Coordinates of all heavy atoms in Angstrom, one line a residue:
M272 N 86.7 140.5 87.1 CA 87.1 139.1 87.1 C 88.1 138.8 86.0 O 87.7 139.0 84.8 CB 85.8 138.3 87.0 CG 86.1 136.8 87.3 SD 84.7 135.7 87.1 CE 83.4 136.3 88.0
D273 N 89.3 138.4 86.3 CA 90.3 138.2 85.3 C 90.4 136.7 84.9 O 91.4 136.4 84.2 CB 91.7 138.7 85.9 CG 91.7 140.2 86.0 OD1 90.9 140.9 85.4 OD2 92.6 140.6 86.8
M274 N 89.5 135.9 85.3 CA 89.6 134.5 84.9 C 89.3 134.2 83.5 O 88.3 134.7 83.0 CB 88.6 133.7 85.8 CG 88.8 132.2 85.7 SD 87.9 131.4 87.0 CE 89.2 131.2 88.2
N275 N 90.2 133.6 82.8 CA 90.0 133.3 81.4 C 89.4 132.0 81.2 O 89.2 131.2 82.1 CB 91.2 133.5 80.6 CG 92.3 132.6 81.0 OD1 92.1 131.6 81.6 ND2 93.6 132.9 80.8
I276 N 89.0 131.6 80.0 CA 88.4 130.4 79.6 C 89.2 129.2 80.0 O 88.8 128.2 80.5 CB 88.0 130.3 78.2 CG1 87.0 131.5 77.8 CG2 87.4 129.0 77.8 CD1 85.7 131.4 78.5
A277 N 90.5 129.3 79.7 CA 91.4 128.1 80.0 C 91.5 127.9 81.5 O 91.4 126.7 81.9 CB 92.8 128.4 79.4
A278 N 91.6 128.9 82.3 CA 91.7 128.7 83.7 C 90.4 128.2 84.3 O 90.4 127.3 85.2 CB 92.0 130.0 84.4
L279 N 89.3 128.6 83.8 CA 88.0 128.1 84.2 C 87.8 126.7 83.8 O 87.3 125.9 84.6 CB 86.9 128.9 83.5 CG 85.4 128.6 83.9 CD1 85.2 128.8 85.4 CD2 84.5 129.4 83.1
S280 N 88.3 126.3 82.6 CA 88.3 124.9 82.2 C 89.1 124.0 83.1 O 88.7 122.9 83.5 CB 88.8 124.8 80.8 OG 88.8 123.4 80.4
V281 N 90.3 124.5 83.5 CA 91.2 123.7 84.4 C 90.5 123.5 85.7 O 90.5 122.4 86.3 CB 92.6 124.4 84.5 CG1 93.4 123.8 85.6 CG2 93.3 124.3 83.2
D282 N 89.9 124.6 86.3 CA 89.3 124.5 87.6 C 88.1 123.6 87.5 O 87.9 122.8 88.5 CB 88.8 125.9 88.0 CG 89.9 126.8 88.4 OD1 91.0 126.3 88.7 OD2 89.7 128.1 88.5
M283 N 87.3 123.6 86.4 CA 86.2 122.7 86.3 C 86.6 121.2 86.3 O 86.0 120.3 86.9 CB 85.3 123.0 85.1 CG 84.6 124.3 85.3 SD 83.7 124.8 83.8 CE 82.6 123.4 83.5
H284 N 87.7 120.9 85.5 CA 88.2 119.6 85.4 C 88.8 119.1 86.8 O 88.6 118.0 87.1 CB 89.2 119.5 84.3 CG 88.6 119.4 82.9 ND1 87.9 118.4 82.5 CD2 88.6 120.4 82.0 CE1 87.5 118.7 81.2 NE2 87.9 119.9 80.9
L285 N 89.4 120.0 87.5 CA 89.9 119.7 88.8 C 88.8 119.3 89.8 O 88.9 118.3 90.5 CB 90.8 120.8 89.4 CG 91.4 120.6 90.8 CD1 92.3 119.5 90.8 CD2 92.1 121.9 91.2
A286 N 87.7 120.1 89.7 CA 86.6 119.8 90.6 C 86.0 118.5 90.2 O 85.6 117.7 91.1 CB 85.6 121.0 90.5
Q287 N 85.9 118.2 88.9 CA 85.3 116.9 88.5 C 86.2 115.8 88.9 O 85.6 114.7 89.4 CB 85.1 116.9 87.0 CG 84.5 115.6 86.4 CD 84.4 115.7 84.9 OE1 84.8 116.6 84.3 NE2 83.8 114.6 84.4
T288 N 87.5 115.9 88.8 CA 88.4 114.9 89.2 C 88.3 114.6 90.7 O 88.3 113.5 91.2 CB 89.8 115.2 88.9 OG1 89.9 115.4 87.4 CG2 90.8 114.1 89.3
Q289 N 88.2 115.7 91.5 CA 88.1 115.6 93.0 C 86.8 114.8 93.3 O 86.7 114.0 94.2 CB 88.1 116.9 93.6 CG 89.5 117.5 93.6 CD 89.5 119.0 94.1 OE1 88.5 119.7 94.1 NE2 90.7 119.4 94.6
Q290 N 85.7 115.2 92.6 CA 84.4 114.5 92.9 C 84.5 113.0 92.5 O 84.0 112.2 93.3 CB 83.3 115.2 92.1 CG 81.9 114.6 92.4 CD 80.8 115.4 91.6 OE1 81.1 116.2 90.8 NE2 79.6 115.1 92.0
E291 N 85.1 112.7 91.4 CA 85.2 111.3 91.0 C 86.0 110.5 92.0 O 85.7 109.4 92.3 CB 85.8 111.2 89.6 CG 84.8 111.7 88.5 CD 85.5 111.8 87.1 OE1 86.7 111.5 87.0 OE2 84.8 112.1 86.2
F292 N 87.1 111.1 92.5 CA 87.9 110.5 93.5 C 87.1 110.2 94.8 O 87.2 109.2 95.4 CB 89.2 111.4 93.8 CG 90.1 110.8 94.9 CD1 90.9 109.8 94.5 CD2 90.1 111.3 96.1 CE1 91.8 109.2 95.5 CE2 90.9 110.8 97.1 CZ 91.7 109.7 96.8
G293 N 86.4 111.2 95.2 CA 85.5 111.1 96.4 C 84.5 109.9 96.2 O 84.3 109.1 97.2
V294 N 83.9 109.8 95.1 CA 83.0 108.8 94.8 C 83.7 107.4 94.8 O 83.1 106.4 95.4 CB 82.2 109.0 93.5 CG1 81.4 107.8 93.1 CG2 81.3 110.2 93.6
A295 N 84.9 107.3 94.3 CA 85.6 106.1 94.2 C 86.0 105.6 95.7 O 85.9 104.4 96.0 CB 86.9 106.2 93.4
V296 N 86.4 106.6 96.5 CA 86.7 106.2 97.9 C 85.5 105.8 98.6 O 85.5 104.8 99.4 CB 87.4 107.4 98.6 CG1 87.5 107.2 100.1 CG2 88.7 107.7 98.0
M297 N 84.4 106.4 98.4 CA 83.1 106.0 99.0 C 82.7 104.6 98.6 O 82.3 103.8 99.4 CB 82.0 107.0 98.7 CG 80.7 106.7 99.3 SD 80.6 107.1 101.0 CE 80.6 108.8 101.0
K298 N 82.9 104.3 97.3 CA 82.5 102.9 96.9 C 83.4 101.9 97.5 O 82.9 100.8 97.9 CB 82.7 102.8 95.3 CG 81.6 103.5 94.6 CD 81.8 103.3 93.1 CE 80.7 104.0 92.3 NZ 80.9 103.8 90.8
M299 N 84.7 102.2 97.7 CA 85.6 101.3 98.3 C 85.2 101.0 99.8 O 85.2 99.9 100.3 CB 87.0 101.8 98.3 CG 87.7 101.7 96.9 SD 89.3 102.5 96.8 CE 90.1 102.1 98.3
A300 N 84.8 102.1 100.5 CA 84.4 102.0 101.9 C 83.1 101.2 102.0 O 83.0 100.3 102.9 CB 84.2 103.4 102.5
M301 N 82.2 101.3 101.1 CA 80.9 100.6 101.1 C 81.2 99.1 100.8 O 80.6 98.2 101.5 CB 80.0 101.2 100.1 CG 79.4 102.5 100.5 SD 78.4 103.2 99.2 CE 77.0 102.0 99.1
E302 N 82.1 98.8 99.9 CA 82.4 97.4 99.6 C 83.1 96.7 100.8 O 82.7 95.6 101.1 CB 83.3 97.3 98.4 CG 82.6 97.7 97.1 CD 83.6 97.8 95.9 OE1 84.8 97.6 96.1 OE2 83.1 98.1 94.8
N303 N 84.0 97.4 101.4 CA 84.7 96.9 102.6 C 83.7 96.6 103.7 O 83.7 95.6 104.4 CB 85.8 97.8 103.1 CG 87.0 97.8 102.2 OD1 87.2 96.9 101.4 ND2 87.8 98.8 102.3
S304 N 82.7 97.6 103.9 CA 81.7 97.4 104.9 C 80.8 96.2 104.6 O 80.5 95.4 105.6 CB 80.9 98.7 105.0 OG 79.8 98.5 105.9
T305 N 80.5 96.0 103.4 CA 79.6 94.9 103.0 C 80.4 93.6 103.3 O 79.8 92.6 103.8 CB 79.3 95.0 101.5 OG1 78.6 96.2 101.3 CG2 78.4 93.8 101.1
E306 N 81.6 93.5 102.9 CA 82.4 92.3 103.1 C 82.5 92.0 104.6 O 82.4 90.8 105.1 CB 83.8 92.4 102.5 CG 83.8 92.4 101.0 CD 85.2 92.8 100.4 OE1 86.2 92.9 101.2 OE2 85.3 92.9 99.2
Q307 N 82.8 93.0 105.4 CA 82.9 92.8 106.9 C 81.6 92.3 107.5 O 81.6 91.4 108.3 CB 83.4 94.1 107.6 CG 84.8 94.4 107.3 CD 85.2 95.8 107.8 OE1 84.4 96.6 108.3 NE2 86.5 96.1 107.8
T308 N 80.5 92.9 107.0 CA 79.2 92.5 107.5 C 78.9 91.0 107.1 O 78.4 90.2 108.0 CB 78.1 93.4 106.9 OG1 78.3 94.7 107.3 CG2 76.7 93.0 107.4
E309 N 79.3 90.6 105.9 CA 79.1 89.2 105.5 C 79.9 88.3 106.4 O 79.4 87.2 106.8 CB 79.4 89.0 104.1 CG 78.4 89.7 103.1 CD 78.8 89.6 101.7 OE1 79.9 89.1 101.4 OE2 78.0 90.1 100.8
E310 N 81.1 88.7 106.7 CA 82.0 87.8 107.6 C 81.4 87.7 109.0 O 81.4 86.6 109.5 CB 83.4 88.4 107.6 CG 84.2 88.3 106.3 CD 85.5 89.0 106.4 OE1 85.9 89.5 107.5 OE2 86.2 89.1 105.4
I311 N 80.9 88.8 109.5 CA 80.3 88.8 110.8 C 79.1 87.9 110.9 O 78.9 87.1 111.8 CB 79.9 90.2 111.3 CG1 81.2 91.0 111.6 CG2 79.0 90.1 112.5 CD1 81.0 92.5 111.9
L312 N 78.2 88.0 109.8 CA 77.0 87.1 109.8 C 77.4 85.6 109.6 O 76.7 84.8 110.2 CB 76.1 87.6 108.6 CG 75.5 88.9 108.8 CD1 74.7 89.3 107.5 CD2 74.5 88.9 110.0
Q313 N 78.5 85.3 108.9 CA 78.9 83.9 108.8 C 79.4 83.4 110.2 O 79.1 82.3 110.5 CB 80.0 83.8 107.8 CG 79.5 83.9 106.4 CD 80.6 83.9 105.3 OE1 81.8 83.9 105.7 NE2 80.3 83.9 104.1
E314 N 80.1 84.3 110.9 CA 80.6 83.8 112.2 C 79.4 83.6 113.2 O 79.4 82.7 114.0 CB 81.6 84.9 112.8 CG 82.9 84.9 112.0 CD 83.8 86.0 112.6 OE1 83.6 86.5 113.7 OE2 84.8 86.3 111.9
I315 N 78.5 84.5 113.1 CA 77.3 84.4 114.0 C 76.5 83.1 113.7 O 76.1 82.4 114.6 CB 76.4 85.6 113.9 CG1 77.1 86.8 114.5 CG2 75.0 85.3 114.6 CD1 76.3 88.1 114.3
G316 N 76.4 82.8 112.4 CA 75.7 81.6 112.0 C 76.4 80.3 112.5 O 75.7 79.3 112.6
S317 N 77.7 80.3 112.7 CA 78.4 79.1 113.1 C 78.4 78.9 114.6 O 79.0 78.0 115.1 CB 79.8 79.2 112.6 OG 80.6 80.2 113.2
L318 N 77.9 79.9 115.4 CA 77.8 79.7 116.8 C 76.9 78.6 117.3 O 75.9 78.3 116.6 CB 77.4 81.0 117.5 CG 78.4 82.2 117.3 CD1 77.8 83.5 118.0 CD2 79.7 81.9 118.0
D319 N 77.1 78.1 118.5 CA 76.2 77.1 119.1 C 74.8 77.7 119.3 O 74.7 78.7 120.1 CB 76.8 76.5 120.4 CG 76.0 75.4 121.0 OD1 75.1 75.0 120.4 OD2 76.4 75.0 122.1
P320 N 73.8 77.2 118.8 CA 72.4 77.8 119.0 C 72.0 77.7 120.4 O 71.1 78.4 120.8 CB 71.5 77.0 118.0 CG 72.2 75.8 117.7 CD 73.7 76.0 117.9
N321 N 72.5 76.7 121.2 CA 72.1 76.6 122.6 C 72.9 77.4 123.6 O 72.6 77.5 124.7 CB 72.2 75.1 123.0 CG 71.3 74.2 122.2 OD1 70.2 74.6 121.9 ND2 71.8 73.1 121.8
L322 N 73.9 78.1 123.1 CA 74.7 78.9 123.9 C 73.9 80.1 124.4 O 73.3 80.9 123.7 CB 75.9 79.5 123.1 CG 77.0 80.2 123.9 CD1 77.6 79.3 124.9 CD2 78.0 80.7 122.9
G323 N 73.9 80.3 125.8 CA 73.2 81.4 126.4 C 71.8 81.1 126.8 O 71.1 82.0 127.3
N324 N 71.3 79.9 126.5 CA 69.9 79.6 126.9 C 69.7 79.4 128.4 O 68.6 79.6 128.9 CB 69.4 78.4 126.1 CG 69.2 78.7 124.6 OD1 69.0 79.9 124.3 ND2 69.2 77.7 123.8
N325 N 70.7 78.9 129.1 CA 70.6 78.7 130.5 C 71.5 79.6 131.3 O 72.6 79.9 130.8 CB 71.1 77.2 130.8 CG 70.2 76.2 130.1 OD1 69.0 76.4 130.0 ND2 70.8 75.1 129.6
I326 N 71.0 80.0 132.5 CA 71.8 80.8 133.3 C 72.0 80.1 134.7 O 71.0 79.6 135.3 CB 71.1 82.2 133.6 CG1 70.9 82.9 132.3 CG2 71.9 83.0 134.6 CD1 70.1 84.2 132.4
D327 N 73.2 80.0 135.1 CA 73.5 79.3 136.4 C 73.4 80.4 137.5 O 74.3 81.3 137.6 CB 75.0 78.8 136.4 CG 75.3 78.0 137.6 OD1 74.4 77.8 138.5 OD2 76.4 77.6 137.8
I328 N 72.4 80.3 138.3 CA 72.2 81.3 139.3 C 72.7 80.9 140.7 O 72.5 81.6 141.7 CB 70.7 81.7 139.4 CG1 69.8 80.5 139.7 CG2 70.2 82.4 138.1 CD1 68.4 80.9 140.0
I329 N 73.2 79.7 140.8 CA 73.7 79.2 142.1 C 75.2 79.5 142.1 O 76.0 79.1 141.3 CB 73.6 77.6 142.2 CG1 72.1 77.3 142.1 CG2 74.2 77.1 143.5 CD1 71.8 75.8 142.1
A330 N 75.6 80.3 143.2 CA 77.0 80.7 143.3 C 77.6 80.1 144.6 O 77.0 80.0 145.6 CB 77.1 82.2 143.2

């Protein structure tokens, strides 16, 4: 194995940076998902509560 300490250090820092980037992207995705869910729940709450209670079966 010809890997020296400097190369090993660079590889370890690269792996750490990639992991931190992955975590940051995951956090962004979770925040966007949370915001979208809140918007959907607000829209559902503003719907007419009587909508869909009656079915017209005479055609």
Side-chain angles (χ1 to χ4, degrees):
M272 194 186 300
D273 290 340
M274 188 167 264
N275 59 23
I276 300 296
L279 183 60
S280 175
V281 168
D282 287 345
M283 288 175 58
H284 284 288
L285 179 61
Q287 181 180 3
T288 301
Q289 288 173 337
Q290 183 178 10
E291 289 172 356
F292 179 77
V294 170
V296 170
M297 180 73 73
K298 284 181 181 180
M299 287 174 40
M301 289 175 61
E302 289 171 359
N303 287 341
S304 176
T305 301
E306 290 173 5
Q307 289 173 350
T308 301
E309 289 174 357
E310 289 175 7
I311 290 171
L312 290 175
Q313 287 176 353
E314 289 178 15
I315 289 173
S317 66
L318 294 176
D319 183 8
N321 295 320
L322 188 63
N324 288 337
N325 297 323
I326 300 174
D327 185 6
I328 57 172
I329 300 173

